[in-house]
């Protein structure tokens, strides 16, 4: 329950500061109401709509089986929703890189589907961080049972922590973001990344799925956008030599 109150406090601080108390209170009521509506058996069945990946790989990355505690926490952070495989492949195909020199990083990996999908590429390493313990445990189990004849990177590390405190590996990076953070958190991550790049300049590509805060990335003078679609944007550090 402590985690719940601290998530609610953080959420309230940010929203009441940005939008005022009345509008934060109204958003809170709307969020809680949508949580109640989404808890009906019918809505739960709809969340199983993303099961193809599960059948194919014998894992459990669907949002349909996420327990109510993790869903409630998701209201104050970012609700878990796995990336659709076809879209993930499209985003990876848009990166003109030699994968084996890059580390793949997903901030907010949920039940770990992206980490498994990234293992189909010859990344040097795959690292993810997730804030919600239940999702982190599910991801660890998925990594344990996942076997694929097409797997090309077996080094997967799933860390349970706040993405805002993550220290980036000092290798070239593909950073994957599917809206894990509100604006303040995203800005903190970008400051951490910029600091890390000042210490160790290296190429970084960012695949940003469902780019609700695209203007925050676009406003970073050290990044340039190389692709924009309604579903995702791709950025790279300005000094990144192609194909590095
Ligand atoms: C939309 S889901 C994306 C899941 C996964 N990246 C994917 O694409 O399949 C966002 C995830 O971010 C996680 N999250 C939210 N705030 C976070 C934080 N501060 N640190 C780490 N993870 C966070 C949520 O728990 C959720 O699992």
């Amino acid at each position: 329950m402590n985690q719940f109150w601290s998530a609610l406090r953080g959420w309230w601080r940010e929203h009441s500061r940005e939008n005022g108390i009345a509008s934060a209170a109204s958003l809170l009521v709307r969020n809680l109401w949508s949580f109640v509506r989404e808890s009906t058996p019918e809505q739960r069945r709809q969340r199983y709509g993303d099961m193809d990946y599960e059948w194919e790989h014998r894992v459990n990355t669907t949002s349909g089986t996420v327990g109510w505690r993790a869903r409630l926490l998701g209201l104050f952070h970012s609700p878990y929703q796995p990336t659709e495989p076809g879209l993930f492949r499209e985003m990876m195909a848009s990166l003109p890189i030699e994968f084996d020199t890059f580390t793949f990083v997903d901030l907010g990996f949920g039940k770990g589907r992206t980490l498994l999908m990234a293992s189909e590429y010859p990344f040097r390493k795959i690292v993810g961080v997730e804030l919600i313990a239940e999702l982190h445990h599910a991801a660890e189990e998925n990594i344990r049972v996942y076997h694929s004849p097409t797997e090309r990177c077996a080094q997967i590390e799933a860390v349970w922590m706040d993405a805002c405190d993550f220290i980036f590996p000092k290798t070239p990076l593909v950073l994957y973001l599917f809206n894990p953070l509100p604006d303040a958190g995203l800005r903190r991550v970008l400051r951490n990344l910029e600091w890390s790049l000042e210490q160790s300049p290296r190429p970084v590509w960012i695949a940003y799925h469902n780019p609700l805060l695209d203007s925050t990335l676009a406003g970073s003078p050290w990044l340039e956008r190389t692709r924009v679609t309604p579903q995702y944007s791709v950025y790279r550090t300005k000094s990144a030599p192609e194909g590095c």
Side-chain angles (χ1 to χ4, degrees):
M1 227 33 192
N2 274 352
Q3 232 190 333
F4 169 78
W5 290 118
S6 104
L8 175 58
R9 265 199 307 277
W11 183 95
W12 180 259
R13 219 178 301 121
E14 176 157 350
H15 284 80
S16 57
R17 193 180 48 221
E18 271 174 19
N19 310 312
I21 288 179
S23 117
S26 136
L27 183 60
L28 181 60
V29 171
R30 270 184 282 139
N31 279 353
L32 289 170
W33 177 237
S34 83
F35 173 79
V36 172
R37 270 189 297 127
E38 282 171 18
S39 303
T40 61
E42 191 178 320
Q43 290 294 321
R44 292 200 63 166
R45 261 200 303 280
Q46 274 186 18
R47 287 204 301 278
Y48 281 95
D50 56 6
M51 286 294 279
D52 286 355
Y53 187 81
E54 324 306 306
W55 286 113
E56 200 177 326
H57 296 283
R58 302 278 178 235
V59 289
N60 173 5
T61 62
T62 174
S63 58
T65 53
V66 175
W68 70 268
R69 282 189 192 81
R71 287 201 303 114
L72 193 57
L73 279 175
L75 281 187
F76 303 115
H77 296 291
S78 165
Y80 173 58
Q81 193 190 338
T83 294
E84 198 267 306
L87 191 62
F88 186 81
R89 282 194 292 271
E90 187 181 320
M91 284 186 266
M92 291 303 110
S94 74
L95 304 176
I97 59 171
E98 303 284 349
F99 284 87
D100 57 2
T101 58
F102 281 75
T103 301
F104 177 91
V105 174
D106 182 6
L107 297 185
F109 57 69
K111 293 169 88 175
R113 184 187 287 184
T114 44
L115 307 183
L116 306 180
M117 293 192 295
S119 75
E120 299 291 310
Y121 298 80
F123 281 112
R124 173 181 184 153
K125 191 174 174 185
I126 295 166
V127 184
V129 304
E130 170 57 49
L131 184 68
I132 297 182
E134 177 188 322
L135 300 178
H136 171 253
H137 292 321
E140 283 195 316
E141 181 59 11
N142 284 324
I143 293 165
R144 196 182 66 75
V145 301
Y146 183 78
H147 296 290
S148 164
T150 51
E151 192 174 45
R152 298 176 75 190
C153 174
Q155 240 197 305
I156 306 180
E157 189 184 351
V159 186
W160 175 35
M161 67 179 289
D162 188 334
C164 296
D165 300 325
F166 181 67
I167 296 173
F168 288 94
K170 296 222 163 22
T171 62
L173 300 171
V174 170
L175 173 59
Y176 186 78
L177 300 170
F178 180 3
N179 268 323
L181 299 163
D183 191 52
L186 184 60
R187 285 177 193 279
R188 218 168 118 192
V189 163
L190 290 174
R191 272 198 305 275
N192 291 348
L193 180 56
E194 191 180 5
W195 178 84
S196 176
L197 288 168
E198 277 162 18
Q199 307 302 306
S200 304
R202 58 204 189 278
V204 175
W205 289 79
I206 303 179
Y208 184 18
H209 178 194
N210 189 18
L212 294 178
L213 298 171
D214 209 30
S215 57
T216 304
L217 267 78
S220 302
W222 46 281
L223 285 174
E224 63 184 328
R225 195 165 51 191
T226 61
R227 189 171 169 83
V228 57
T229 78
Q231 289 167 304
Y232 65 89
S233 298
V234 176
Y235 289 83
R236 62 183 258 176
T237 42
K238 278 192 176 152
S239 55
E242 266 195 25
C244 178

